Amino acid sequence: QVQLVESGGGSVQAGGSLRLSCVVSKVSDNTYSSNCMAWFRQAPGKAREGVAAISPGRLSVYYADSVKGRFTISRDNAKDTIYLEMNNLKSDDTAIYYCATLLRTWRCGAFNEYNYWGQGTQVTVSS
């Protein structure tokens, strides 16, 4: 099975930055480097939403409109890790952030199809 472990959450003032990390265990017959990866978030009282996604070869990235220009998703295949660099944070970014994977290499921007999740890491932005 897939295991996803997030880290890097915390509390920050508006305008600040955080960097989230997610370490991914390798699936027996489908290595990490072959999978679509994404970050999601869920704010209190709201549905979980896709924030950013990245294709296996880093050729394609996808962002929610609300984070374009402020968040950057990246991956280091050698370390089985993906990252979410978050800059100019706003109070609306307060949420639990989840790492997720989709065991395929195409249409990585299909946020509604991700089916493996980490436990999440809390991000709190104070104004």
Side-chain angles (χ1 to χ4, degrees), residues 21 59 64 67 75:
S21 300
L59 295 178
V67 306
R75 64 194 296 165

Side-chain angles (χ1 to χ4, degrees), residues 42-60:
Q42 187 166 20
K46 295 186 178 180
R48 186 159 51 189
E49 63 171 343
V51 173
I54 188 167
S55 64
R58 313 183 196 90
L59 295 178
S60 298

Side-chain angles (χ1 to χ4, degrees), residues 1-20:
Q1 294 297 321
V2 179
Q3 288 188 332
L4 308 166
V5 180
E6 305 95 336
S7 62
S11 297
V12 64
Q13 289 189 331
S17 299
L18 282 174
R19 188 193 197 201
L20 306 183

Side-chain angles (χ1 to χ4, degrees), residues 9-75:
S11 297
V12 64
Q13 289 189 331
S17 299
L18 282 174
R19 188 193 197 201
L20 306 183
S21 300
C22 173
V23 178
V24 186
S25 64
K26 292 183 178 181
V27 181
S28 60
D29 58 354
N30 188 353
T31 60
Y32 153 80
S33 60
S34 299
N35 297 339
C36 296
M37 298 295 303
W39 288 96
F40 288 73
R41 67 185 181 186
Q42 187 166 20
K46 295 186 178 180
R48 186 159 51 189
E49 63 171 343
V51 173
I54 188 167
S55 64
R58 313 183 196 90
L59 295 178
S60 298
V61 291
Y62 309 85
Y63 293 100
D65 289 342
S66 58
V67 306
K68 283 181 180 177
R70 299 188 299 121
F71 290 12
T72 302
I73 188 171
S74 61
R75 64 194 296 165

Side-chain angles (χ1 to χ4, degrees), residues 73-102:
I73 188 171
S74 61
R75 64 194 296 165
D76 184 338
N77 292 342
K79 296 182 179 180
D80 294 342
T81 303
I82 66 166
Y83 305 95
L84 185 67
E85 186 76 34
M86 305 185 295
N87 297 314
N88 190 21
L89 283 161
K90 305 175 181 179
S91 56
D92 287 347
D93 296 318
T94 295
I96 299 174
Y97 284 72
Y98 299 90
C99 173
T101 188
L102 177 58

